[in-house]
Amino acid sequence: MKNFRRQHPRRRAEPAVYTDYKAYRDDLKQDFNNRCGYTDCNDRWWGIKFQVDHFAPQNPKDITDPTKKRKFEDLACTYTNLVYACPQVNNAKRNLWVSDDPQKPIVDNKGLLDPCDFDYNQH
């Protein structure tokens, strides 16, 4: 069986610290091997720039409790929550999240796998 990707993305251990998540784009591009974290498509295939995705979204769908929302908002510039993504996937994923906890991406076998935490070749 052919592997999904040749190189597993790995976020750097000590990234620079920025107050605007978009400033991480070049670091993410390098850490994700110039490929979408979710689909593994090469960023050179697209005529438009790849985007910085929030793995746990800034404003998850269906969460209205201000305290719970704040936990997601607090991750807006956290490097370990960012993914280099093609615009198609980023727009499709947008605000989807299966729990009210940003640290819980999977509930009842539904949800999302962080591309740096899981080897997509094994799933």
Side-chain angles (χ1 to χ4, degrees):
M1 185 163 112
K2 187 176 177 182
N3 281 340
F4 177 70
R5 58 173 112 234
R6 285 188 227 149
Q7 254 186 310
H8 186 78
R10 303 219 185 278
R11 292 182 191 95
R12 60 194 64 210
E14 296 182 27
V17 178
Y18 300 108
T19 56
D20 178 0
Y21 71 89
K22 292 177 184 174
Y24 288 108
R25 187 179 173 284
D26 289 339
D27 290 343
L28 289 165
K29 177 178 180 169
Q30 184 178 8
D31 291 354
F32 282 78
N33 310 304
N34 294 74
R35 298 178 101 60
C36 176
Y38 303 110
T39 66
D40 201 45
C41 67
N42 191 305
D43 63 3
R44 288 180 283 269
W45 295 349
W46 301 99
I48 52 178
K49 285 189 174 186
F50 269 33
Q51 299 172 349
V52 176
D53 173 57
H54 293 86
F55 180 66
Q58 294 181 86
N59 186 21
K61 184 179 176 184
D62 301 328
I63 296 181
T64 57
D65 179 294
T67 303
K68 291 178 181 177
K69 276 184 92 113
R70 198 167 308 111
K71 289 180 182 180
F72 287 87
E73 292 166 356
D74 288 346
L75 293 174
C77 286
T78 302
Y79 195 71
T80 56
N81 187 51
L82 303 176
V83 176
Y84 190 61
C86 63
Q88 290 75 9
V89 172
N90 191 26
N91 290 331
K93 181 182 159 289
R94 187 72 50 207
N95 293 332
L96 300 177
W97 198 252
V98 295
S99 75
D100 60 2
D101 180 349
Q103 303 304 320
K104 193 170 183 179
I106 299 173
V107 175
D108 296 329
N109 289 324
K110 293 180 183 165
L112 302 167
L113 298 173
D114 185 316
C116 291
D117 292 344
F118 294 94
D119 183 352
Y120 279 28
N121 291 332
Q122 303 299 314
H123 295 280

